[in-house]
Amino acid sequence: MNIYIDLIIAIGLSMAVSYLLVFPVMKLAVKWKMMDYPELRKIHTEITPRMGGLAIFGGVVAGMLYIRPDTPYFLSISIGATIIVLTGLLDDRYQIRPIFKLAGQVSAAGILILSGLKVDILSVPFLGMISLNEPISILFTFFWIIGITNAINLIDGLDGLATGVSTISLISIAVMALAIEPQITIVYLCIVLIGSNIGFLFHNFYPAKIYMGDTGSLFLGYSMAVISMVGLFKNVTLFSFVIPIIVLAIPVFDTLFSIMRRVINKQKIMMPDNKHIHYQILAAGFSHRATVLIIYGFSALFGLLAILFSLTSIGISLIITFVLLFLLHLFAEMTGVVYRGKRPVIDFFSKNDKKDKDKDKEREEA
């Protein structure tokens, strides 16, 4: 069968199953008391079912059963995903201690590494190909899987945010998998996740009827980590170390800046706060929906830059690098990392904007 027909069927099947599964999952969430209650640090004001990630997982399973991707790591990836989903379900129900959540993530990562799925070669700009010895390879893979898994979990703070950001990143990976070094298996893996996310997003976008909970955010994070390892570290020869980080820039740097901010402020690293990028945009006066759409825009921009970065020459890549650094600086200012909370670049544009508005007002009065 034509590959494009397969892709259309796979994305449609995943989307439909995910969308329909939300209804029984919401009933189960109420029955099992897996509800998200309003509190001081949270934005929502109504009791909302969580564990919607189970619907996302179901949509992915349906898509995978149809396309049956050809990869030697499929069984290990599936076992790891099941462990991650069970860990998320336990946390959604019992609010388990962080050490137990970490144990589930380490178990899933361990299964992948034992199967042979590791990052063993990195292509670093200006340094070339770097081979990682066994211990470094294992450590890097562990940190990547666990780091990205938790990064998606951390940005799941607004309706539809984690779902949309991960979908945009997956689209970027799928484009690179088709355009740069055709890897049909990677495209299949991306497509079923994209379809499942979109099906869930119908219920999860503001105002959300259900949240994905840790069941969904941990599963999406794990899936993103695995796909980026197989589809970017392994197959994009130029800048293979940089590309995955650009694609996942929003969750990666929001997590890194959160850690830096807490260290600077002498807070516990694991202590939650309201300084994440989405909270800062909300605090600037944007609505819930607008905040999510702004972050979607940032994510799409980073995804586009990653695609251009992987396709262009060294000279143009350097220009893109400066653009990326400027965007990351803005990102850091918004999350309160640089200059002890001061925001020189943002304030500069704000002052100029205020001056222009004052001049316009003076002209109108004249």
Side-chain angles (χ1 to χ4, degrees), residues 3-45:
I3 179 179
Y4 294 106
I5 295 176
D6 274 344
L7 290 174
I8 292 169
I9 293 173
I11 196 170
L13 180 62
S14 298
M15 190 188 305
V17 170
S18 176
Y19 177 85
L20 293 172
L21 275 179
V22 166
F23 298 104
V25 166
M26 283 196 289
K27 291 181 180 179
L28 280 176
V30 175
K31 182 178 180 180
W32 293 346
K33 298 180 181 178
M34 292 185 175
M35 308 297 288
D36 203 312
Y37 294 90
E39 60 180 62
L40 184 62
R41 197 178 59 87
K42 295 182 178 180
I43 303 297
H44 65 92
T45 56

Side-chain angles (χ1 to χ4, degrees), residues 2-224:
N2 186 292
I3 179 179
Y4 294 106
I5 295 176
D6 274 344
L7 290 174
I8 292 169
I9 293 173
I11 196 170
L13 180 62
S14 298
M15 190 188 305
V17 170
S18 176
Y19 177 85
L20 293 172
L21 275 179
V22 166
F23 298 104
V25 166
M26 283 196 289
K27 291 181 180 179
L28 280 176
V30 175
K31 182 178 180 180
W32 293 346
K33 298 180 181 178
M34 292 185 175
M35 308 297 288
D36 203 312
Y37 294 90
E39 60 180 62
L40 184 62
R41 197 178 59 87
K42 295 182 178 180
I43 303 297
H44 65 92
T45 56
E46 296 182 4
I47 300 173
T48 308
R50 55 186 173 196
M51 86 167 195
L54 205 56
I56 298 175
F57 181 63
V60 170
V61 169
M64 290 295 183
L65 288 174
Y66 172 74
I67 58 174
R68 298 179 184 179
D70 182 22
T71 171
Y73 307 116
F74 184 70
L75 180 60
S76 301
I77 291 172
S78 301
I79 294 172
T82 304
I83 292 171
I84 288 291
V85 168
L86 290 174
T87 302
L89 280 170
L90 287 172
D91 191 55
D92 283 339
R93 177 63 182 89
Y94 299 108
Q95 298 291 291
I96 59 177
R97 293 170 60 188
I99 188 67
F100 295 124
K101 284 174 65 174
L102 183 61
Q105 295 167 34
V106 168
S107 300
I111 289 169
L112 290 177
I113 291 170
L114 287 173
S115 73
L117 181 55
K118 301 190 297 291
V119 180
D120 41 29
I121 297 176
L122 295 177
S123 178
V124 182
F126 310 114
L127 296 179
M129 305 294 288
I130 299 176
S131 296
L132 306 179
N133 60 34
E134 190 72 8
I136 299 298
S137 174
I138 290 172
L139 275 176
F140 184 92
T141 305
F142 259 120
F143 280 116
W144 180 257
I145 295 171
I146 292 167
I148 298 301
T149 299
N150 285 287
I152 299 295
N153 182 248
L154 284 175
I155 66 164
D156 184 28
L158 297 179
D159 297 0
L161 184 57
T163 317
V165 167
S166 58
T167 300
I168 292 166
S169 299
L170 286 163
I171 291 170
S172 303
I173 296 172
V175 169
M176 284 185 277
L178 275 174
I180 302 169
E181 295 183 23
Q183 295 288 329
I184 302 305
T185 299
I186 304 307
V187 179
Y188 281 151
L189 293 174
C190 289
I191 282 297
V192 295
L193 274 159
I194 291 168
S196 197
N197 274 352
I198 292 172
F200 180 71
L201 196 57
F202 280 107
H203 304 280
N204 184 234
F205 196 70
Y206 182 81
K209 302 179 187 70
I210 186 172
Y211 298 141
M212 67 170 66
D214 277 15
T215 307
S217 60
L218 293 179
F219 171 64
L220 282 182
Y222 167 84
S223 301
M224 297 294 298

Side-chain angles (χ1 to χ4, degrees), residues 311-322:
L311 290 171
T312 55
S313 63
I314 295 292
I316 297 175
S317 294
L318 287 173
I319 296 172
I320 295 172
T321 300
F322 285 118

